[in-house]
Amino acid sequence: MQGLQNYFRARMNILRAPRKPLSVQYTAFLIHSFVGLKLSLLFTVVLLSGALAVLSLEIDWLLYSEFRASPGDVRLGAGELLDRLQAAYPEFGLSFFETMSQHPGFASFAMFNDAAGGFRYAWIDPYTGEVNGDTPVLTPGRFIGFLHSTLYLPVIGRSVVNVFGLLTLLSLIAGLYAYPKFWRFFFRLPRTQNARLFWSDLHKLIGLWSLWFVLIIGVTGTWWFYENPLISHLDAPNPVEPANIKPLLSYADIDNVSGTMLSAASMITTVRKAYPDAQILGINPPEHNADPYTVTFAGDAWLVPNGRQNKLYLNPFTAEIIASHTVDKYTPAQRADMAMPPLHIGNWASGNAFDLLIKLIWFLFGIGMTALCISGLIINLKRTARAARIVYSRNTLIRRLHKSWRITRPWGRPFGVFKYMNVLLILGICAGCGIALTLSSQGTKGAGFLYQPQSVSNWKVSMNAVAGLLEKDLNPIRPNASVNFNVALPDEAAEVFKFTYLRVGEPRTLRAPGVLIHGPKGSRHADIHLPRTLTGNEQIWLTAIGWNGQVYQTSWSLNANGKETIDGR
């Protein structure tokens, strides 16, 4: 009992003692320790997944034979490859075709939705034209990439990841202030007298040699933190000019066509005439009749070495170029924004002989940053364990009580008040991973609210509504919410209808029929922002306009009523 009294008396004396003002160096040390320690579990997940994501493409190439191609002297045309791939999957509409021309050993691919609603990639050898088969969208490499960028946390995932970009930059600056004359440690090997000294010296050594890399990750991550959440959620001013909007075909253009789109090969023929030396990177087919073909091609420009933002837009009925957005027309702020992803991910040498070497360097230093996080945690544990041993040695009862309290209290070691936050977020990531894997194979078809088949001219049309890709089990119909409506429109009807729209409430005029339904075959959808107030009696209207000018309409109850609209969650 006397020992316990002495302990608490000593604690009170410490609290009553006048405290010296904190120096800049010690304040920086506290900030550096706080950033690296309190969210170290989550930080480790972000850093390790980021390091692995650098080599995500190469990981999948090793695991899946469909990714591989047999390099030859001549590649088939990008348009011909897409047309062959579409012919091999006639029941599905392909989108986001990538030629992979900057990676000679890789096959070309396009995305589609299978009959079950899952997302898959179809692969074709660009040298032989043989279809390699298809793979899930969420391959191991892509799974790691999405984990790094979103943590599979619905709604807040990207914002949470971007916070770590800011914390990385803050930790870098604080760390340099915390260790004056840090340059003396560049060539000092870790001491081995004890574990704490070894980890402390190793932490300094890795940190110093990684300064340039940590700076790149911190600056790019902070840039994205400003974009999301500050700009996207908090309406902060945006220093980057808005991106060029994809042009659409005018009513006059639509009225003068037959309704039959030309092949992708026809589009590339036109592109070759205008840009003979263009290296075609991707083709995105139209998602509705007013949508042009989008062709992406490479081109060198300062801050954007692979020029992936060079885009041409072509009329799908005439193969005429209607607009071009090339990198040389972008402002410095736009170029800086485009430069962030390749700098962060390490693929800025894509298409270059040094591409794999640069990626390996980024991977190794990414592992080094992960080691910094882990070693910082070990240093703190060693330091607190040493201090605790001194206290525990004074009294057995104190040792037992103190140890139990430190483990169970909400602000217990080693994470302080953030201990359970780490655990909850890790559990959220695990749950999000499970949802993502399910969505990869099942998609969102048949989820949420189910709108039963209704007659539209000679066909039956049905829909389902979901709150989002990772939120398909939530109630989709909520005031001021954005809702995704998947529309099951028969292919025959899609050929007869020029445009199809969705709108909450009956359209008063055909000048405002609603949101245009778009998407490739098997994946037609519309994203609708619901009104700020809902009474529960609203109707969702579908309006179809035929090539002959005929108008067809039908409607469902927006909310589930157990009849034409069913809650399928």
Side-chain angles (χ1 to χ4, degrees):
M1 184 61 68
Q2 183 65 34
L4 192 61
Q5 290 177 349
N6 293 336
Y7 169 76
F8 283 110
R9 187 179 295 112
R11 296 285 292 181
M12 292 301 297
N13 290 335
I14 292 173
L15 293 175
R16 290 171 182 168
R19 296 187 177 183
K20 297 180 181 179
L22 295 177
S23 65
V24 174
Q25 180 182 344
Y26 188 63
T27 302
F29 171 78
L30 292 177
I31 294 173
H32 185 77
S33 301
F34 179 87
V35 170
L37 175 67
K38 300 307 179 182
L39 293 172
S40 56
L41 278 182
L42 206 57
F43 217 156
T44 301
V45 172
V46 173
L47 292 174
L48 181 59
S49 61
L52 294 173
V54 172
L55 297 174
S56 60
L57 199 60
E58 287 72 20
I59 291 172
D60 288 337
W61 187 88
L62 292 172
L63 295 176
Y64 291 92
S65 60
E66 292 87 351
F67 277 62
R68 303 169 203 155
S70 304
D73 296 331
V74 180
R75 294 175 66 99
L76 299 178
E80 182 182 354
L81 288 172
L82 177 54
D83 290 337
R84 288 195 185 191
L85 203 52
Q86 182 63 81
Y89 293 85
E91 67 275 26
F92 306 116
L94 302 181
S95 59
F96 303 109
F97 176 72
E98 294 280 344
T99 64
M100 302 298 285
S101 57
Q102 294 178 317
H103 304 277
F106 284 80
S108 305
F109 68 93
M111 190 174 75
F112 69 93
N113 281 87
D114 61 20
F119 301 94
R120 299 188 70 81
Y121 283 133
W123 298 84
I124 184 170
D125 191 314
Y127 301 98
T128 65
E130 295 180 3
V131 176
N132 292 352
D134 52 82
T135 64
V137 165
L138 209 58
T139 55
R142 291 184 180 275
F143 178 88
I144 295 169
F146 287 135
L147 174 63
H148 177 68
S149 61
T150 68
L151 293 177
Y152 293 104
L153 294 174
V155 182
I156 64 170
R158 288 190 181 276
S159 299
V160 171
V161 172
N162 292 343
V163 167
F164 285 103
L166 176 63
L167 293 179
T168 298
L169 186 60
L170 184 62
S171 182
L172 170 64
I173 296 171
L176 293 179
Y177 269 104
Y179 297 98
K181 299 182 181 180
F182 57 84
W183 52 87
R184 297 177 302 172
F185 299 96
F186 265 108
F187 299 99
R188 179 180 294 179
L189 294 177
R191 291 166 290 180
T192 57
Q193 284 89 330
N194 58 62
R196 189 177 68 83
L197 278 177
F198 172 79
W199 286 109
S200 179
D201 289 353
L202 183 64
H203 185 84
K204 294 187 185 77
L205 186 65
I206 296 175
L208 287 173
W209 285 99
S210 303
L211 280 176
W212 66 273
F213 184 77
V214 177
L215 181 63
I216 290 175
I217 301 302
V219 169
T220 54
T222 302
W223 180 282
W224 288 329
F225 170 77
Y226 187 79
E227 290 183 343
N228 186 347
L230 296 188
I231 294 177
S232 59
H233 297 302
L234 302 177
D235 296 324
N238 191 349
V240 181
E241 297 82 352
N244 293 316
I245 299 175
K246 179 171 64 173
L248 299 178
L249 274 63
S250 66
Y251 284 111
D253 293 331
I254 298 294
D255 290 339
N256 295 326
V257 299
S258 62
T260 302
M261 293 186 180
L262 299 177
S263 65
S266 302
M267 304 298 131
I268 300 304
T269 299
T270 299
V271 172
R272 288 297 181 200
K273 291 179 180 178
Y275 298 86
D277 300 324
Q279 183 183 15
I280 307 299
L281 301 179
I283 305 173
N284 198 23
E287 295 191 348
H288 53 80
N289 288 320
D291 194 28
Y293 270 95
T294 302
V295 178
T296 307
F297 63 96
D300 289 331
W302 62 276
L303 281 181
V304 192
N306 59 11
R308 289 194 65 84
Q309 296 297 326
N310 288 307
K311 294 180 180 179
L312 296 176
Y313 302 97
L314 297 96
N315 187 320
F317 302 101
T318 64
E320 175 188 1
I321 297 176
I322 60 175
S324 63
H325 295 157
T326 52
V327 174
D328 60 301
K329 299 176 183 177
Y330 284 76
T331 65
Q334 288 175 320
R335 290 179 182 231
D337 188 45
M338 295 175 196
M340 294 299 160
L343 279 175
H344 189 89
I345 301 170
N347 63 353
W348 50 270
S350 183
N352 190 291
F354 299 101
D355 180 33
L356 183 58
L357 176 61
I358 297 299
K359 285 184 176 180
L360 288 173
I361 292 174
W362 251 244
F363 168 74
L364 291 175
F365 278 92
I367 294 296
M369 283 190 67
T370 308
L372 284 174
C373 189
I374 296 173
S375 61
L377 177 60
I378 293 175
I379 292 168
N380 184 272
L381 288 174
K382 294 289 184 184
R383 184 182 293 117
T384 54
R386 179 174 175 271
R389 281 196 299 270
I390 297 174
V391 174
Y392 296 159
S393 63
R394 296 171 182 170
N395 188 283
T396 304
L397 179 60
I398 292 175
R399 180 173 67 249
R400 292 175 180 174
L401 291 175
H402 203 222
K403 187 174 183 180
S404 300
W405 174 239
R406 278 184 169 271
I407 293 174
T408 58
R409 67 182 183 178
W411 55 91
R413 56 174 293 205
F415 306 109
V417 72
F418 294 89
K419 177 169 69 174
Y420 295 117
M421 183 184 294
N422 277 270
V423 174
L424 287 175
L425 287 173
I426 293 295
L427 291 176
I429 291 171
C430 293
C433 289
I435 294 173
L437 290 170
T438 301
L439 286 173
S440 174
S441 58
Q442 298 179 3
T444 58
K445 291 182 180 179
F449 282 14
L450 309 178
Y451 297 82
Q452 301 305 296
Q454 299 270 42
S455 295
V456 181
S457 184
N458 299 324
W459 301 278
K460 294 286 186 178
V461 178
S462 61
M463 306 185 300
N464 75 295
V466 292
L469 198 59
L470 294 178
E471 299 89 7
K472 70 173 187 175
D473 293 324
L474 300 179
N475 179 7
I477 308 303
R478 294 164 290 146
N480 203 34
S482 294
V483 185
N484 177 259
F485 287 86
N486 297 309
V487 183
L489 187 67
D491 295 337
E492 298 82 0
E495 294 176 0
V496 172
F497 299 153
K498 183 191 297 184
F499 296 115
T500 313
Y501 304 88
L502 277 182
R503 187 181 190 276
V504 176
E506 183 176 5
R508 297 181 180 179
T509 172
L510 291 181
R511 292 184 178 180
V515 177
L516 186 62
I517 295 173
H518 59 283
K521 183 192 301 184
S523 185
R524 297 184 177 96
H525 60 279
D527 299 309
I528 295 182
H529 196 86
L530 298 180
R532 292 184 178 273
T533 58
L534 295 174
T535 65
N537 299 319
E538 289 81 7
Q539 296 279 312
I540 181 80
W541 282 76
L542 184 144
T543 301
I545 302 175
W547 285 98
N548 58 3
Q550 186 70 35
V551 178
Y552 311 91
Q553 289 183 312
T554 190
S555 66
W556 296 261
S557 170
L558 180 63
N559 277 286
N561 61 4
K563 298 177 182 178
E564 73 267 21
T565 306
I566 298 173
D567 188 347
R569 293 177 295 153

